[in-house]
Amino acid sequence: MIEFLQIIGGFGIGYLIATFSESFLHAVIGHASEGSRNMWNRYPKLFHFMIQSYYRHNYIHHEATYKEDFHQMFTCESHQAELDASIPGWHRDRIKREMYGLTISLKCYFSFNVILIPTLLLIYFYLGPWMAAGFLPWLALKPLWTLTIHKLLHHDLETARKMAPRGVKWLVGTAYYRWMMRNHFMHHNEQSTNFTLIPGGDYLWFKVRKATAEEKTEMARLGMYKDTQENQLGRQPVQIQ
């Protein structure tokens, strides 16, 4: 019984660390401040990973794509062609493999767990193997959400269900999935808030905000609320900022 409680405790600690680190790293690397970027550019070899991550996420996913519609990556074929031509050749293949920021490669496994792995070792040595066993699943779950779920959020529910891997089809359309859709939609509108797909981390350091009336209307149009809420909120579209 004690061992079981320790596993549950370790899982709970893992949840807190996973959601906070998701929000924190997303903010300070994926949407880094100008000061941070200036420092990185002074030492490009040392901060090569950060520079690349910022470029792929902030520029490619947020600025260069989904410019007019949350569900449409490119406005037309020439939009994609122009973007492809602007991407440095050494980076173009990886960006295409990662679907222009919609998913990640397995190379990102370590970077997504850069906080969790040291925490796991501390838990093992100071709190014991059972707590560490409860914590361990988060090393797979945290990057898995970005690897499999993020790309679904930019599609309507019917398309997302068709695209979803067999193991996560059940998730599409649930209350939690709709929450992820709404949270991610708001993040695209205001990139300094609402970073997480694992709920909670944004609250821990005050990086969450509520939707505006206009955002609620557009989210209802896109099916991010259930029908009863959609009828109340209306269906007039607004553009992504």
Side-chain angles (χ1 to χ4, degrees):
M1 183 63 179
I2 293 176
E3 290 84 358
F4 176 75
L5 292 176
Q6 288 178 328
I7 291 173
I8 297 299
F11 190 83
I13 293 172
Y15 176 87
L16 290 175
I17 300 297
T19 183
F20 176 76
S21 63
E22 178 193 14
S23 180
F24 181 76
L25 293 174
H26 188 167
V28 301
I29 298 178
H31 298 281
S33 67
E34 184 178 358
S36 294
R37 299 196 310 272
N38 288 339
M39 181 185 69
W40 297 347
N41 288 325
R42 286 197 297 269
Y43 308 99
K45 291 184 178 180
L46 181 62
F47 294 106
H48 183 66
F49 169 78
M50 281 79 160
I51 294 169
Q52 282 194 357
S53 297
Y54 177 85
Y55 178 80
R56 290 196 305 272
H57 183 75
N58 191 86
Y59 177 68
I60 296 295
H61 182 58
H62 280 275
E63 302 295 340
T65 56
Y66 298 102
K67 298 176 72 171
E68 296 183 7
D69 190 322
F70 187 70
H71 286 168
Q72 186 176 356
M73 180 180 289
F74 299 107
T75 57
C76 57
E77 290 185 5
S78 62
H79 176 198
Q80 182 175 3
E82 290 172 4
L83 178 59
D84 287 347
S86 72
I87 300 172
W90 54 269
H91 213 45
R92 191 176 300 132
D93 288 343
R94 178 171 181 178
I95 285 174
K96 288 184 175 181
R97 283 199 309 271
E98 295 181 358
M99 301 171 65
Y100 299 88
L102 282 182
T103 187
I104 59 173
S105 64
L106 292 178
K107 291 181 179 180
C108 292
Y109 174 84
F110 177 80
S111 61
F112 267 66
N113 285 313
V114 69
I115 292 177
L116 268 70
I117 291 173
T119 306
L120 173 65
L121 295 176
L122 290 173
I123 288 175
Y124 178 83
F125 287 113
Y126 289 98
L127 298 179
W130 292 110
M131 292 280 277
F135 186 98
L136 188 62
W138 287 105
L139 269 67
L141 290 174
K142 184 172 179 284
L144 186 65
W145 252 223
T146 299
L147 186 67
T148 61
I149 302 298
H150 179 221
K151 61 187 175 184
L152 304 180
L153 300 178
H154 283 277
H155 295 278
D156 61 83
L157 289 172
E158 183 179 354
T159 303
R161 286 191 184 97
K162 293 177 181 178
M163 291 176 56
R166 184 175 301 178
V168 298
K169 280 186 184 295
W170 63 271
L171 183 65
V172 178
T174 63
Y176 171 41
Y177 184 85
R178 289 176 189 266
W179 171 86
M180 285 192 288
M181 294 173 74
R182 296 192 298 270
N183 203 57
H184 194 57
F185 176 90
M186 287 188 282
H187 174 58
H188 270 260
N189 268 3
E190 173 49 67
Q191 297 173 28
S192 65
T193 59
N194 298 73
F195 297 106
T196 59
L197 300 182
I198 304 171
D202 295 328
Y203 289 95
L204 295 177
W205 66 311
F206 309 104
K207 292 294 183 179
V208 68
R209 69 176 177 86
K210 295 181 179 179
T212 65
E214 291 80 7
E215 286 175 326
K216 289 179 179 179
T217 299
E218 178 67 355
M219 288 190 290
R221 185 184 74 85
L222 295 175
M224 297 180 187
Y225 293 95
K226 292 187 178 180
D227 289 341
T228 54
Q229 292 173 295
E230 290 175 357
N231 293 334
Q232 295 172 6
L233 293 168
R235 293 177 174 271
Q236 293 302 313
V238 295
Q239 288 189 342
I240 296 291
Q241 298 297 314

